[in-house]
Amino acid sequence: MTCCWYEGPLAAFDTETTGVDVETDRIVSAAVVVQDAPGARPRTVRWLVNPGVPVPGAATAVHGLTEDHLHRNGRWPAPVMYEIAEELAEQAALGRPLVVMNAPFDLTLLDRELRRHRASSLGRWLESSPLSVLDPRVLDKHLDRYRKGRRTLTDLCAHYEVTLAEAHDAAADALAALEVVRALGRRFAARLERLSPAELHALQTGWHAAQARGLQAWFARTGTEETVDPAWPLRPELPAAA
């Protein structure tokens, strides 16, 4: 009997950063977690980065990584970004779906770091084997769209009864997001089990765009001057300033 994708091998990716601007902020830590089956011992690869720029106190308050700690213990960004891209390309080549909570943030940030430090892009690493991304935020908002409340990783873990051991640690967050996707798959099995991860990836592109349009409309009604990017799972590169 072949099991559904949410009972099979999954990988997950997460980053901690200097801030929330994908165009200018930097990765300070990252992790890829691989789990072959529910309950199996996960395999984790971690990276710690000396970003070469100041680490704001507000960012340290979130993830606990100080500028001094990163300066002493982190590696230079260029080799780290290469290794992360290689790891994601390997997962794609093996056909493992990649769980990324709020994928446009982490994947776009990685893409910009590759452009900054490697004169490359995430797309170049994935030319032969595209990723099948599973974003618990997009999936949950689509499958349970009328539920009230926030949908941060902490909120989703509480809702789907997943243990989040150490919030804002890249490896802990990646594993928790992976477990949320498994729980979400089981809860909405009737709607998900016949879909392949590649089909779900394509569907999430449309679901996220619709969610972005809805949020943009809400911002317009409330007078909030904020732009919501509909692109998923990777935002297009900004045109260079003239």
Side-chain angles (χ1 to χ4, degrees):
M1 176 181 170
T2 57
C3 69
C4 308
W5 58 263
Y6 49 83
E7 302 292 2
L10 292 176
F13 173 60
D14 190 71
T15 65
E16 298 301 329
T17 66
T18 59
V20 297
D21 187 327
V22 295
E23 303 299 339
T24 58
D25 279 306
R26 311 296 174 89
I27 293 172
V28 297
S29 72
V32 171
V33 175
V34 177
Q35 189 185 47
D36 292 325
R41 185 182 179 90
R43 303 188 298 281
T44 304
V45 186
R46 304 168 189 263
W47 294 271
L48 195 66
V49 187
N50 176 2
V53 299
V55 180
T60 298
V62 172
H63 49 59
L65 298 169
T66 64
E67 192 170 323
D68 180 65
H69 178 77
L70 293 167
H71 183 72
R72 291 170 183 270
N73 301 288
R75 296 167 57 206
W76 287 114
V80 172
M81 300 313 148
Y82 177 88
E83 289 171 19
I84 295 172
E86 283 281 292
E87 183 67 32
L88 296 190
E90 182 181 333
Q91 300 306 322
L94 291 168
R96 283 197 194 105
L98 184 72
V99 175
V100 192
M101 175 74 186
N102 193 16
F105 179 78
D106 296 80
L107 295 182
T108 304
L109 198 59
L110 174 60
D111 176 76
R112 303 312 190 252
E113 288 277 51
L114 287 166
R115 292 171 189 273
R116 186 177 292 125
H117 296 293
R118 307 289 318 186
S120 186
S121 69
L122 184 56
R124 289 190 195 170
W125 259 270
L126 302 171
E127 282 172 343
S128 57
S129 301
L131 282 173
S132 290
V133 176
L134 300 168
D135 187 333
R137 188 164 179 263
V138 174
L139 291 167
D140 176 69
K141 285 180 81 172
H142 178 78
L143 295 162
D144 198 0
R145 67 183 70 184
Y146 300 113
R147 189 176 82 249
K148 302 290 187 187
R150 288 155 48 87
R151 300 183 194 240
T152 65
L153 180 59
T154 302
D155 298 316
L156 295 187
C157 286
H159 182 71
Y160 289 101
E161 299 179 355
V162 167
T163 300
L164 178 51
E166 195 178 339
H168 301 295
D169 168 83
D173 285 359
L175 180 59
L178 187 152
E179 296 286 7
V180 165
V181 164
R182 290 203 191 280
L184 200 147
R186 293 184 197 111
R187 185 167 299 186
F188 297 100
R191 297 163 68 182
L192 294 176
E193 62 187 357
R194 291 180 182 84
L195 295 167
S196 70
E199 289 169 328
L200 260 181
H201 178 105
L203 286 167
Q204 286 168 98
T205 303
W207 294 347
H208 178 271
Q211 292 162 9
R213 286 194 299 270
L215 184 55
Q216 192 73 72
W218 185 78
F219 281 154
R221 288 196 302 272
T222 57
T224 305
E225 291 187 11
E226 192 168 332
T227 302
V228 186
D229 196 320
W232 184 96
L234 183 67
R235 295 177 188 168
E237 188 183 15
L238 289 177

